């Protein structure tokens, strides 16, 4: 661990204070040229006493702008202090979570996973144009049918064709055969440059693509490709629940990664994270951004520095070990739910170690799904699946009434021969486990 250490509250407060002291203070200095200021003092409390123990709110009120990318060249000097903490956050994610070599990456806090995915695809589109003289109709975006819809947005915004790979119905996997088929047929239609998005946990299923299938098949086909990993959901989960490094920068085929801190990290919205190998981001430098010091290599433009501070604070509060434990507590709850579903013979999908459990819709009455806020794969009345995401606030005590109702519902009793009443002891999970599994009965 290069950067990531658990810090105390006062250490965090001091680091944020120090960072803010290296930003300009609109109250102390005459800053005449920038179209920005602290938050409106008539509306937002700027009283030092109430903000001193609230470093995030203090940063919000100071309102630093983190426009541009701060892992390269120069940046706006007015906000250098908090930009440096963002740089540290990017280092934690790139090096300590995603196994990138020191200083071999660029990255920034984006508005979300959507922006980070579009940023990646934008980079590879320009790279293929610049390095290979690729035409638009020779390029395409390749991803599985379970991928997030932001890839469709990217294709639309960036004028690129999309090619989706079907997945198996039960295991939600891309296969060598289907990937090969799609690549061959794309090639026959003149596609030579492939922008691949591999999923590190999909939104609906938590499934993880076998990235080697993409890299090996594309290499064998002899076409140019770059792989982006979409870890918007899984970026802060999967690296802690697996020993595999295939979705990290330890894999030479991984060029960039998206993570979202506003999902599992519970940071404020506006905290997507984009990381790419050093130099790739240069493909989207906007030289016309002349009024921005250091120009701009991001899609977004102005963005809140307080967002980056929030993510930095959360990760530093936990440190790597507490974060690992947190993910494993969610994993434990997910195991509990899966065991209950198995007992009731309810069909579901769950990737090992994932905190998303996706249940076949045939077992779930609409009213039940509505009551417990389950999310369907489609909202058009044709739901095939409903998902449960085991977040921090989803305790086993909240799952119990759902499981009880599910087991008693017609859709389940009609479907399966229920185990005897004696064993339906949802309220006593440990006794249940011990008698049924540990004693080998
Ligand atoms: C949520 C999500 C996105 C989009 O992220 P936003 O932050 O909503 O823009 C992209 N990909 C995956 C896998 C996601 O789960």
């Amino acid at each position: 661990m290069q950067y990531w250490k658990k810090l105390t509250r006062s250490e965090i407060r001091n680091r944020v204070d120090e960072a803010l002291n290296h930003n300009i203070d609109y109250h102390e200095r005459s800053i005449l040229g920038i179209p920005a200021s602290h938050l409106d003092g008539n509306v937002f409390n700027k009283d030092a006493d109430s903000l001193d123990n609230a470093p995030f709110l203090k940063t919000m009120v100071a309102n630093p702008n983190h426009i541009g990318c701060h892992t390269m060249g120069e940046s706006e000097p007015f906000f250098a202090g908090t930009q440096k903490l963002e740089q540290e956050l990017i280092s934690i994610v790139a090096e300590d979570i995603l196994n990138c070599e020191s200083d071999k990456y660029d990255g920034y806090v984006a508005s979300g996973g959507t922006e980070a995915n579009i940023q990646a695809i934008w980079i590879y589109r320009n790279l293929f144009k610049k390095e290979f003289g690729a035409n638009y109709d020779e390029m395409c975006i390749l991803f599985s049918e379970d991928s997030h819809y932001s890839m469709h947005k990217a294709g639309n915004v960036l004028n690129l064709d999309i090619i989706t790979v079907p997945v198996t119905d039960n295991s939600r996997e891309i296969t060598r055969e289907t990937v090969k088929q799609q690549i061959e047929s794309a090639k026959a239609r003149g596609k030579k440059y492939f922008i691949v998005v591999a999923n590190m946990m999909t939104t609906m299923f938590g499934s993880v693509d076998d990235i080697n299938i993409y890299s090996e098949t594309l290499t064998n086909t002899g076409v140019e490709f770059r792989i982006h990993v979409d870890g918007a959901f899984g970026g802060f989960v999967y690296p802690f629940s697996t020993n595999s490094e295939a979705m990290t920068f330890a894999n030479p085929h991984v060029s960039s990664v998206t993570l979202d801190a506003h999902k599992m990290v519970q940071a404020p919205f506006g905290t997507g994270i984009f990381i790419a190998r050093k130099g790739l981001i240069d493909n989207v430098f906007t030289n016309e951004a002349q009024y921005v010091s250091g120009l701009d290599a991001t899609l977004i433009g102005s963005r809140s520095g307080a967002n980056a501070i929030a993510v930095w604070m959360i990760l530093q509060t936990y440190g790597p070990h507490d974060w690992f434990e947190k993910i494993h507590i969610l994993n434990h709850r997910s195991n509990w739910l899966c065991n209950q579903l198995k007992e009731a013979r309810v069909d579901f999908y769950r990737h090992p170690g994932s905190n998303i459990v996706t249940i076949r819709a045939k077992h779930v009455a609409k009213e039940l799904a509505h009551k417990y806020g389950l999310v369907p794969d489609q909202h058009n009345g044709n739901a095939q699946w409903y998902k449960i995401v085991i977040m921090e606030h989803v305790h086993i005590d909240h799952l119990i009434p759902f499981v009880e109702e599910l087991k008693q519902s017609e859709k389940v009793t009609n479907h399966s021969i229920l185990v005897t009443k004696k064993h339906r002891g949802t309220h006593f999970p440990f006794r249940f486990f011990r008698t049924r599994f540990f004693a080998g009965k």
Side-chain angles (χ1 to χ4, degrees):
M1 293 289 154
Q2 280 286 112
Y3 296 92
W4 199 8
K5 283 192 196 76
K6 185 176 167 69
L7 300 181
T8 64
R9 282 180 84 89
S10 64
E11 284 171 328
I12 287 172
R13 198 181 52 220
N14 291 340
R15 290 290 312 277
V16 175
D17 277 344
E18 192 190 319
L20 287 171
N21 287 339
H22 283 93
N23 285 7
I24 46 134
D25 184 333
Y26 295 109
H27 300 287
E28 302 288 328
R29 254 186 73 189
S30 302
I31 300 297
L32 308 180
I34 54 173
S37 188
H38 50 76
L39 288 192
D40 190 316
N42 292 318
V43 180
F44 302 102
N45 192 345
K46 58 181 194 306
D47 167 36
D49 286 345
S50 59
L51 292 178
D52 256 354
N53 280 318
F56 170 63
L57 292 182
K58 197 173 180 182
T59 313
M60 285 274 280
V61 170
N63 206 19
N65 185 356
H66 280 199
I67 191 168
C69 175
H70 314 306
T71 55
M72 61 206 291
E74 51 180 292
S75 291
E76 291 286 354
F78 303 121
F79 311 108
T82 48
Q83 285 169 358
K84 194 148 176 300
L85 280 192
E86 173 171 328
Q87 221 179 325
E88 204 175 299
L89 165 68
I90 296 298
S91 299
I92 289 173
V93 177
E95 295 185 41
D96 296 336
I97 300 181
L98 296 173
N99 303 315
C100 201
E101 279 176 59
S102 175
D103 298 327
K104 294 283 172 59
Y105 50 85
D106 292 306
Y108 72 99
V109 176
S111 56
T114 298
E115 182 195 332
N117 285 342
I118 297 175
Q119 171 86 11
I121 295 166
W122 186 27
I123 287 175
Y124 305 125
R125 186 199 69 175
N126 286 8
L127 180 150
F128 287 143
K129 279 207 288 190
K130 203 164 90 188
E131 284 191 17
F132 303 95
N135 294 324
Y136 280 83
D137 54 10
E138 292 173 323
M139 296 186 270
C140 61
I141 318 172
L142 180 72
F143 51 89
S144 90
E145 63 172 320
D146 280 349
S147 301
H148 189 261
Y149 67 86
S150 49
M151 266 53 84
H152 294 265
K153 280 189 186 172
N156 191 239
V157 172
L158 296 167
N159 190 26
L160 294 169
D161 283 338
I162 56 165
I163 295 175
T164 54
V165 180
V167 298
T168 54
D169 186 40
N170 280 326
S171 59
R172 314 311 299 180
E173 285 169 322
I174 56 166
T175 65
R176 279 183 196 274
E177 293 67 43
T178 48
V179 168
K180 187 158 180 245
Q181 260 168 23
Q182 293 302 67
I183 295 169
E184 293 291 351
S185 98
K187 213 177 149 188
R189 282 176 281 132
K191 302 296 181 198
K192 296 178 187 160
Y193 306 95
F194 290 73
I195 298 168
V196 182
V197 181
N199 290 299
M200 175 156 66
M201 297 182 77
T202 55
T203 315
M204 190 64 205
F205 294 94
S207 51
V208 178
D209 292 332
D210 181 347
I211 192 171
N212 297 328
I213 293 184
Y214 282 125
S215 56
E216 287 165 19
T217 314
L218 287 156
T219 304
N220 292 340
T221 321
V223 291
E224 276 297 328
F225 66 94
R226 295 292 184 279
I227 302 181
H228 172 70
V229 171
D230 183 4
F233 182 84
F236 289 100
V237 179
Y238 189 67
F240 301 89
S241 68
T242 181
N243 290 324
S244 165
E245 295 186 338
M247 304 300 272
T248 72
F249 291 103
N251 178 350
H253 287 296
V254 170
S255 292
S256 53
V257 182
T258 288
L259 306 87
D260 257 351
H262 57 218
K263 288 182 177 160
M264 291 315 298
V265 182
Q266 295 170 262
F269 287 107
T271 50
I273 296 182
F274 175 74
I275 316 248
R277 289 189 192 273
K278 192 103 205 147
L280 285 171
I281 205 168
D282 297 16
N283 287 291
V284 293
F285 244 123
T286 301
N287 289 316
E288 293 78 4
Q290 288 297 340
Y291 76 80
V292 182
S293 170
L295 305 176
D296 189 5
T298 70
L299 189 51
I300 185 171
S302 293
R303 58 190 174 87
S304 165
N307 282 352
I309 299 307
V311 185
W312 179 89
M313 284 175 60
I314 297 170
L315 294 185
Q316 298 292 23
T317 298
Y318 282 83
H321 300 290
D322 285 4
W323 191 260
F324 178 89
E325 285 179 17
K326 181 187 164 93
I327 295 303
H328 283 261
I329 288 170
L330 300 180
N331 188 23
H332 163 74
R333 295 180 196 164
S334 310
N335 288 345
W336 181 90
L337 175 61
C338 290
N339 282 328
Q340 295 295 323
L341 295 175
K342 269 183 224 160
E343 189 206 343
R345 306 192 189 188
V346 167
D347 297 336
F348 64 92
Y349 172 87
R350 181 211 180 186
H351 194 272
S354 154
N355 60 324
I356 298 181
V357 177
T358 311
I359 303 173
R360 289 266 185 204
K362 67 181 180 197
H363 299 295
V364 187
K366 252 198 206 116
E367 303 71 42
L368 188 65
H370 181 75
K371 179 173 175 187
Y372 287 98
L374 272 53
V375 169
D377 58 341
Q378 21 191 342
H379 280 97
N380 57 9
N382 258 337
Q384 301 296 306
W385 299 88
Y386 284 105
K387 73 168 166 177
I388 293 178
V389 185
I390 316 285
M391 301 292 296
E392 172 95 12
H393 68 272
V394 182
H395 294 264
I396 290 177
D397 293 289
H398 301 121
L399 294 168
I400 285 173
F402 165 73
V403 167
E404 285 294 332
E405 275 192 60
L406 180 72
K407 283 178 174 177
Q408 273 149 27
S409 72
E410 249 174 47
K411 295 211 172 206
V412 170
T413 44
N414 281 349
H415 252 279
S416 51
I417 314 137
L418 266 184
V419 285
T420 60
K421 228 184 168 122
K422 187 175 132 225
H423 281 142
R424 293 180 53 228
T426 12
H427 295 285
F428 304 102
F430 291 106
R431 190 188 307 162
F432 170 74
F433 280 144
R434 226 172 273 130
T435 53
R436 244 184 91 125
F437 294 116
F438 294 170
K441 279 184 194 158

